[in-house]
Structure formats: structure tokens, C-alpha cells
């Protein structure tokens, strides 16, 4: 066999490190986007950037729970409006997304997932959706029931769901397996080893969850496509006993691997490489702020640029990306609360 | 002891001025000057060394035509009132048009297909934020940032006249729906508490609409509204018959009573 007869002989430039152009070759969309396509977003805090990015390209982003018109965009965001296609708050894990879809199918909120907090109550499945707790359990359940109905309506008309995953460590209810967006006791409820247990999702568990998510999405809308992205934002903290850097690498690797296998196996699914764009030096990055965790504005702009270019869309000016212009630390993030538990670093 | 008050306002200050001109003896311990301006005239002013003066042509025209002055010495007063100034219960109706919240008694009977369900906290925060951006609180903030330390009271804009219903020309479907559904008292209470919070945040105190003037929680008794006059410098020019927004001197007197009770030790 000569050199010209190997499988590498006919590969395009993008297959080789030396000749690949990261900006132009990294993302080859499987899905054609147009303003007619109805798109929904969900995911970890980084997904808020994805939502803003989509809005900036003039695509039709669904919003099943829009804030009342009289409310300013900034205030609306504080109350969980306008972040995603519905007010589900941040969805960090595949398990959380799966269980939300299951709950939306039944439409019945469970009082077990109402946590006391300060002098009121919060929805344990989105404890920071509002800045202050609600007055009663009934109020929390009424709001959740309404939310579930809106989520079901949303899914019934969604053509493309864009889901951004971020974590593999998930705090769950020991008895029921229900996954929470944040550890119980941090912004509601009281932590107890008897009640709650940490689940660190494996590749196969994530793959299984993604498979079930796709099946459920298509029960709502048989032709729904699923685009997955991976948040490049490292873990704020880990409960795994590992160093947070190692736990981060583990989470992102396992998620990336499961997403890769899932999208290779399922028609109508795709992956948008925001994670690689932000973290790989080939793109001129990595694009992080001074804390080495939050994604920089330049990184967000690059992600937008690559996405828009690949889809033949025109990115709007920076002003329209963020009607509110939140800075990185103004993203509505639950996980960031874990930072408050960090003890001062020892003197070297 | 006599308290010197400067009573600012938009068109709604006319009711207070009219009451004062008719019955000045009713408030023997108060002296009052009235400074009115339409639209954003009060905000289009600057405060230099505690002297307030218009900086736009429009505002200067209002000051000259309505108040016969071109500057106000803020040091000459023991307290300030801002009358009406868009601090209006219509804000809660604006929210009610699109949303419902658990505090509303009608919620159990409401189909929420088209309307959003929001929390009680959200309803309060949204109304407060909307009111904070209205002329009254904005002008109070303007006065505070200009160095005013004396008390500032913001009086409620009167609710719509109940006469609008009697004449079969209810100005909004939302208001009619609120009145029919029994949500009026809850909406009225939400307005009063949100306005109170918005005024406090602006460094002022809110004076709610006098109880005796209210009807069905969201309306004003016609006897407090009929015969309202316009804010002009020309004397007694009546509001048009179709006006259901402006109150008369009877209402103005009730508000001046409130102000006197709040201002006098």
C-alpha cells in the first residue's frame, strides 16, 4: 500500500491539525436555521449566552413564559424571565432535564420538592428563580403547576431544542432520585445525608439520559431536533473529594464523550462546539475572565461569530446581544453560590 | 407654628391649588406655594445652590405661564409635596392585563391559558419598579440629589372617576374586568404598598388616596371629581366633560388635610 492509498489521502484540510482552519471548519451545521424555525433553549448558566447569541442573529427564540411587557429586561431576568424558553432556571445536568420533561408530561408538581427558605418557601427544582422566597407552599406549587403547563405547550411547538450541559455532579433526593440544580441547604431546604445523596453521572448514565430526553422531546413534537452544547465554565466547587480542577476535567470530558457518542448515533441531533471554541488555544484563547472561570466577552463574541457564519446568519451588534448587557458575573448562576463555602487559601 | 410648603405637581396639582385658593383659612398653620408643570417639566430643571430652575424651553414656558416664576428657592420651605405626578393605580391594571398572582381572589376561577401566573413578590416588585420610574419618585430623587433634606411627600394620583361607569363609557376593559372579578381591593392594596415602597426608595413618603374619596377600591367618587379644573395660569378653566382622571377642589382639600396631618407636629 502506498502513501496515497491510506484513508488519510482523501481527507479534507479540516482533518489535519496543520491545515485545519479552526474558525471556518470547526462547525459544519447539520441543521439549517431560519427565522421560521422555532427554537427553545435550556441548560446551565452558559446557555444564557447561547440564548442571547441566538437572539442576536434574528432567529425565533420561543418564550413560553415572557415577562409582562411593563417589566424592564433587567428586572425580568432577576425573576427568571427571558433567560431561557421557559422559567425553568438553570438546568446543569442531563438528569435534571430528563426529569423536567417527565414532570411536564404529568403536569403535576410534587410538594416534596418545596423547600423552606428564610421566612418562606422556594421551588427546590429552581430555588433561585426569584430573589425572595414565596409566602406559602401553595403559592410555590401553583407557580410550578403553571410553569409545567407552559413547558408542555412550549415543547409542543419547538422545532429545535438547544440544550447546554454543564455538570456531572448532581445532588439528588435519596428516596426518589430527583435531581436538584444545587445542593440542598444552600438556598433552601436543610442538608441531610439521610435525605440527599451526590450522584456523579457516568458516561453511560448520561448517554442513557440523553437518549430518553430525545425520546421524550419527540413525544411532545415528533420532528423535534436536538442540538447539544457543553458549557466551558469549570465547576465552581466539587463534592467529589477530588481537586476541583480534576473534577472539572472529569465532568467536561465525560459530558463531551457522551454527547459525541449520542449525536453520532441519533439522527436529528447535533453538537455545537462552544466548549472547544472557548477552551482550545487554536482559537486564540482560552477565553476566560481573570477568575479563569467565567467566559470573556471576546470568547462569547467569537462563539457568536462562528455560529452565525456557519449558518449564514448576520450577527447583530453587541447591543442587541444583551438587551440588559449583563456582565459575566451578572448571569443568573446557582452554582456560583458554592464559592461562599471556600475557605481562604493558605499562605504559601 | 407655621409650616412652609412648596407643592409641586403635574396637572393634578390644580385640585390642591384650587382647594387652597377657595379655603386658605382651613389650614391656618400652613403656607403653601404651588409649582405646576405639564409632562416632564418638573424634571427638566436643574438645582444649583438649592435654587431650582428650568433648563429647557418647554419647562421655562410652564414655569412662566403657570407659576409666574422662573426659579424656586428650595431653602425657603420646610417641606415639599409632589402631587399626582403619574403615581397612579393604573400601573397595577397594566400588570393585571397580562398576569395574575395568588393574592387575587379571582385566581381560583381564572383560566390562565392566555395570562401569566406570577408570584405575589413579583407582582409587588414589578409595580414598584414601574412606579419608581414615574414622575413623582423621579422628581423626589432629583430634589434629594440637589441637596434637599426637608421632608418630601408624594400624593397619589386620584383613581378614575366612578362617573365613567355611570355614563357607560368605562375607559378600559381591564378595569371593568377587575371590578367584576372582585380583584379591586387586592389591586388597590398592591398599588398603595408598591407606591409606598417606590416613594420611600426615592427618599419620600407616600400619601395614599384619601379613603373617603374612593369607590369600589379602584375608582373615585364622582363628588370628588366633578368640576375639576385644568392646570393653567389663566384661572378657572374646567376640564372637558369626558375627563375622568382629574379631581376637583373637594379632593384637593382632602389631600391638603392629609398633608397637614403629616407635616404638622
Amino acid at each position: 500500500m502506498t502513501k496515497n492509498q491510506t484513508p488519510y489521502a482523501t481527507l479534507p484540510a479540516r482533518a489535519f491539525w496543520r491545515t485545519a482552519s479552526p474558525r471556518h471548519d470547526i462547525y459544519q451545521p447539520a441543521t439549517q436555521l431560519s427565522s421560521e424555525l422555532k427554537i427553545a433553549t435550556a441548560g446551565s448558566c452558559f446557555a444564557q449566552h447561547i440564548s442571547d447569541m441566538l437572539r442576536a442573529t434574528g432567529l425565533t427564540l420561543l418564550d413560553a413564559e415572557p415577562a409582562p411587557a411593563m417589566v424592564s429586561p433587567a428586572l425580568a431576568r432577576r425573576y427568571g424571565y427571558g433567560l431561557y424558553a421557559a422559567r425553568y432556571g438553570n438546568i446543569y445536568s442531563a438528569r435534571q432535564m430528563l426529569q423536567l420533561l417527565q414532570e411536564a408530561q404529568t403536569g403535576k408538581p410534587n410538594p416534596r420538592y418545596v423547600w423552606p427558605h428564610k421566612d418562606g418557601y422556594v421551588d427546590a427544582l429552581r430555588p433561585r428563580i426569584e430573589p425572595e422566597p414565596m409566602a406559602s407552599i401553595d403559592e410555590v406549587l401553583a407557580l410550578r403547576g403553571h410553569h409545567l403547563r407552559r413547558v408542555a405547550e412550549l415543547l409542543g411547538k419547538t422545532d429545535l431544542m438547544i440544550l447546554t450541559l454543564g455538570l456531572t455532579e448532581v445532588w439528588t433526593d435519596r428516596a426518589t432520585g430527583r435531581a436538584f440544580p444545587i445542593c440542598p441547604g444552600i438556598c433552601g431546604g436543610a442538608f441531610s445525608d439521610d435525605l440527599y445523596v451526590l450522584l456523579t453521572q457516568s458516561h453511560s448514565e448520561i448517554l442513557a439520559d440523553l437518549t430518553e430526553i430525545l425520546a421524550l422531546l419527540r413525544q411532545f413534537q415528533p420532528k423535534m431536533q436536538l442540538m447539544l452544547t457543553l458549557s466551558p465554565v469549570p465547576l465552581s466547587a466539587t463534592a467529589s473529594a477530588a481537586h476541583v480542577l480534576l473534577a472539572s476535567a472529569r465532568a467536561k470530558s465525560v459530558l463531551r464523550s457522551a454527547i459525541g457518542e449520542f449525536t453520532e448515533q441519533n439522527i436529528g441531533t447535533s453538537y455545537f462546539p462552544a466548549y472547544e471554541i472557548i477552551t482550545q488555544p487554536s482559537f486564540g484563547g482560552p477565553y476566560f475572565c481573570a477568575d479563569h472561570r467565567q467566559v470573556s466577552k471576546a470568547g462569547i463574541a467569537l462563539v457568536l461569530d462562528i455560529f452565525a457564519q456557519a449558518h449564514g446568519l448576520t450577527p447583530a451588534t453587541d447591543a442587541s446581544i444583551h438587551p440588559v448587557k449583563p456582565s459575566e458575573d451578572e448571569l443568573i448562576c446557582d452554582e456560583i453560590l458554592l464559592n461562599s463555602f471556600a475557605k481562604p487559601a493558605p499562605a504559601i | 407654628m407655621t409650616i412652609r410648603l412648596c407643592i409641586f405637581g403635574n396637572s393634578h396639582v390644580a385640585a390642591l391649588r384650587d382647594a387652597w385658593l377657595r379655603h386658605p383659612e382651613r389650614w391656618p398653620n400652613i403656607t403653601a406655594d404651588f409649582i405646576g408643570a405639564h409632562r416632564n417639566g418638573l424634571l427638566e430643571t436643574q438645582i444649583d445652590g438649592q435654587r431650582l430652575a428650568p433648563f429647557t424651553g418647554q419647562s421655562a414656558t410652564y414655569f412662566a405661564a403657570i407659576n409666574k416664576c422662573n426659579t424656586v428657592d428650595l431653602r425657603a420651605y420646610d417641606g415639599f409635596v409632589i402631587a399626582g405626578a403619574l403615581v397612579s393605580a393604573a400601573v397595577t391594571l397594566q400588570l393585571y392585563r397580562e398576569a395574575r398572582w395568588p393574592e387575587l381572589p379571582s385566581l381560583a376561577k381564572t383560566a390562565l391559558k392566555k395570562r401569566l401566573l406570577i408570584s405575589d413578590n413579583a407582582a409587588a416588585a414589578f409595580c414598584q419598579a414601574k412606579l419608581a420610574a414615574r414622575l413623582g419618585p423621579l422628581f423626589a430623587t432629583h430634589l434629594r440629589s440637589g441637596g434637599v433634606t426637608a421632608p418630601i411627600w408624594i400624593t397619589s394620583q386620584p383613581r378614575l372617576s366612578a362617573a365613567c361607569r355611570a355614563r357607560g363609557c368605562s375607559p378600559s376593559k381591564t378595569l371593568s374586568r377587575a371590578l367584576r372579578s372582585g380583584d379591586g381591593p387586592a389591586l388597590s392594596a398592591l398599588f398603595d404598598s408598591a407606591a409606598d415602597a417606590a416613594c420611600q426608595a426615592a427618599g419620600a413618603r407616600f400619601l395614599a388616596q384619601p379613603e373617603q374619596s374612593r369607590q369600589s377600591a379602584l375608582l373615585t367618587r364622582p363628588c370628588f371629581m366633578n368640576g375639576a379644573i385644568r392646570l393653567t395660569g389663566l384661572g378657572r378653566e374646567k376640564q372637558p366633560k369626558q375627563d375622568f382622571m382629574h379631581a376637583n377642589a373637594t379632593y384637593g382639600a382632602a389631600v391638603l388635610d392629609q398633608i397637614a396631618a403629616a407635616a404638622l407636629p
Side-chain angles (χ1 to χ4, degrees):
Chain A
M1 183 181 270
T2 66
K3 184 182 167 190
N4 286 340
Q5 289 172 316
T6 71
Y8 293 91
T10 54
L11 292 178
R14 67 194 292 265
F16 299 92
W17 190 269
R18 190 169 60 81
T19 51
S21 161
R23 282 188 65 115
H24 298 105
D25 297 341
I26 187 77
Y27 176 51
Q28 297 192 325
T31 306
Q32 290 307 310
L33 301 185
S34 68
S35 57
E36 286 81 47
L37 200 73
K38 297 187 182 81
I39 303 172
T41 55
S44 69
C45 339
F46 184 74
Q48 290 168 40
H49 288 309
I50 301 283
S51 298
D52 293 335
M53 176 185 86
L54 295 169
R55 279 191 203 101
T57 52
L59 293 169
T60 307
L61 221 58
L62 294 171
D63 189 352
E65 295 179 276
M70 68 186 264
V71 183
S72 71
L75 183 60
R77 285 175 84 98
R78 287 190 64 211
Y79 280 81
Y81 295 95
L83 301 175
Y84 304 111
R87 278 178 90 222
Y88 16 65
N90 294 315
I91 297 174
Y92 293 100
S93 63
R95 185 60 52 87
Q96 232 189 302
M97 182 67 179
L98 171 60
Q99 291 173 344
L100 171 68
L101 298 176
Q102 290 167 336
E103 195 187 6
Q105 270 195 323
T106 70
K108 289 180 186 158
N110 188 339
R112 183 180 179 92
Y113 308 120
V114 179
W115 284 340
H117 185 46
K118 296 181 187 167
D119 54 353
Y121 299 90
V122 294
D123 182 343
L125 304 166
R126 45 177 189 164
R128 294 222 305 149
I129 199 70
E130 299 206 352
E132 296 298 328
M134 295 177 203
S136 69
I137 294 172
D138 283 348
E139 185 176 4
V140 174
L141 291 174
L143 269 288
R144 182 142 197 100
H146 180 73
H147 168 62
L148 293 174
R149 285 190 293 279
R150 289 294 174 102
V151 170
E153 286 168 23
L154 165 82
L155 296 171
K157 54 181 135 176
T158 300
D159 299 315
L160 171 66
M161 168 63 75
I162 302 183
L163 172 62
T164 302
L165 297 175
L167 299 180
T168 52
E169 288 184 26
V170 193
W171 284 99
T172 61
D173 185 312
R174 195 179 277 277
T176 65
R178 188 73 202 239
F180 303 106
I182 192 159
C183 179
I186 289 173
C187 44
F191 185 79
S192 157
D193 274 327
D194 296 335
L195 295 175
Y196 305 110
V197 62
L198 180 71
L199 165 71
T200 304
Q201 284 198 284
S202 66
H203 174 103
S204 59
E205 285 171 326
I206 294 162
L207 192 57
D209 282 358
L210 286 173
T211 305
E212 211 172 332
I213 286 169
L214 183 63
L216 279 172
L217 288 174
R218 287 182 174 166
Q219 283 181 29
F220 285 100
Q221 218 283 54
K223 290 182 179 170
M224 198 187 304
Q225 299 179 65
L226 175 61
M227 181 187 287
L228 292 162
T229 67
L230 173 59
S231 166
V233 180
L235 271 64
S236 172
T238 178
S240 67
H243 189 288
V244 69
L245 258 168
L246 301 181
S248 257
R250 188 258 182 218
K252 304 300 175 183
S253 311
V254 170
L255 282 167
R256 182 64 190 89
S257 163
I259 289 170
E261 189 170 337
F262 172 75
T263 51
E264 283 157 18
Q265 287 175 351
N266 290 282
I267 294 168
T269 66
S270 59
Y271 172 66
F272 173 64
Y275 175 80
E276 286 80 357
I277 295 167
I278 297 299
T279 58
Q280 285 289 324
S282 306
F283 292 91
Y287 292 96
F288 288 104
C289 297
D291 65 355
H292 297 164
R293 185 168 179 276
Q294 297 298 328
V295 176
S296 67
K297 283 184 179 167
I300 300 298
L302 181 61
V303 168
L304 166 62
D305 197 41
I306 290 173
F307 182 86
Q309 206 166 64
H311 283 285
L313 303 165
T314 310
T317 58
D318 183 55
S320 60
I321 297 175
H322 282 304
V324 195
K325 288 193 180 169
S327 69
E328 281 74 8
D329 54 4
E330 283 171 329
L331 284 180
I332 310 297
C333 270
D334 311 296
E335 205 213 351
I336 200 96
L337 293 180
L338 297 173
N339 277 338
S340 63
F341 291 87
K343 295 177 179 65
I348 299 171
Chain B
M1 180 187 178
T2 300
I3 302 279
R4 299 165 299 168
L5 294 178
C6 181
I7 303 181
F8 291 103
N10 58 357
S11 57
H12 295 279
V13 79
L16 280 69
R17 190 180 63 176
D18 197 20
W20 178 265
L21 292 173
R22 287 171 184 231
H23 310 290
E25 73 287 351
R26 182 162 164 170
W27 304 279
N29 297 320
I30 288 177
T31 65
D33 291 324
F34 293 84
I35 303 291
H38 294 290
R39 300 193 179 89
N40 268 342
L42 291 175
L43 288 176
E44 292 168 9
T45 54
Q46 56 197 8
I47 302 171
D48 189 5
Q50 296 241 7
R51 291 187 79 83
L52 179 131
F55 70 76
T56 66
Q58 181 72 275
S59 179
T61 302
Y62 291 144
F63 270 65
I66 298 169
N67 312 308
K68 317 292 184 214
C69 70
N70 55 19
T71 180
V72 179
D73 184 357
L74 301 174
R75 290 165 300 191
Y77 300 100
D78 303 311
F80 299 90
V81 175
I82 304 166
L86 305 178
V87 179
S88 157
V91 162
T92 57
L93 291 171
Q94 206 179 335
L95 185 61
Y96 188 72
R97 190 165 52 216
E98 291 181 72
R100 295 289 184 272
W101 47 98
E103 253 176 14
L104 296 171
S106 74
L107 186 66
K109 295 174 277 176
T110 306
L112 284 167
K113 280 199 169 173
K114 286 184 185 167
R115 291 194 178 78
L116 200 61
L117 179 67
I118 62 175
S119 69
D120 291 333
N121 288 339
F126 295 167
C127 288
Q128 184 186 331
K130 194 72 184 170
L131 287 163
R134 293 291 176 100
L135 175 61
L138 289 179
F139 187 58
T141 303
H142 182 46
L143 292 175
R144 289 283 181 237
S145 63
V148 167
T149 55
I152 301 172
W153 293 275
I154 298 176
T155 69
S156 173
Q157 191 166 306
R159 287 149 174 80
L160 283 184
S161 172
C164 69
R165 289 179 92 196
R167 291 188 205 163
C169 49
S170 175
S172 104
K173 284 181 184 171
T174 308
L175 175 57
S176 303
R177 193 176 292 122
L179 293 167
R180 274 200 316 271
S181 66
D183 288 335
L187 289 166
S188 175
L190 173 64
F191 164 64
D192 284 339
S193 64
D196 191 53
C199 292
Q200 270 193 47
R205 202 183 130 197
F206 176 64
L207 296 177
Q209 177 166 345
E211 278 296 334
Q212 70 271 28
S213 69
R214 302 187 195 191
Q215 181 172 323
S216 307
L218 291 175
L219 298 169
T220 302
R221 292 171 62 200
C223 61
F224 285 88
M225 302 295 273
N226 296 340
I229 61 163
R230 298 184 64 194
L231 176 65
T232 65
L234 302 173
R236 303 194 49 76
E237 190 180 337
K238 280 197 171 183
Q239 290 281 2
K241 275 192 176 176
Q242 297 79 10
D243 176 80
F244 298 116
M245 287 178 63
H246 293 90
N248 60 22
T250 309
Y251 181 89
V255 174
L256 285 172
D257 287 345
Q258 278 185 309
I259 293 166
L264 291 167

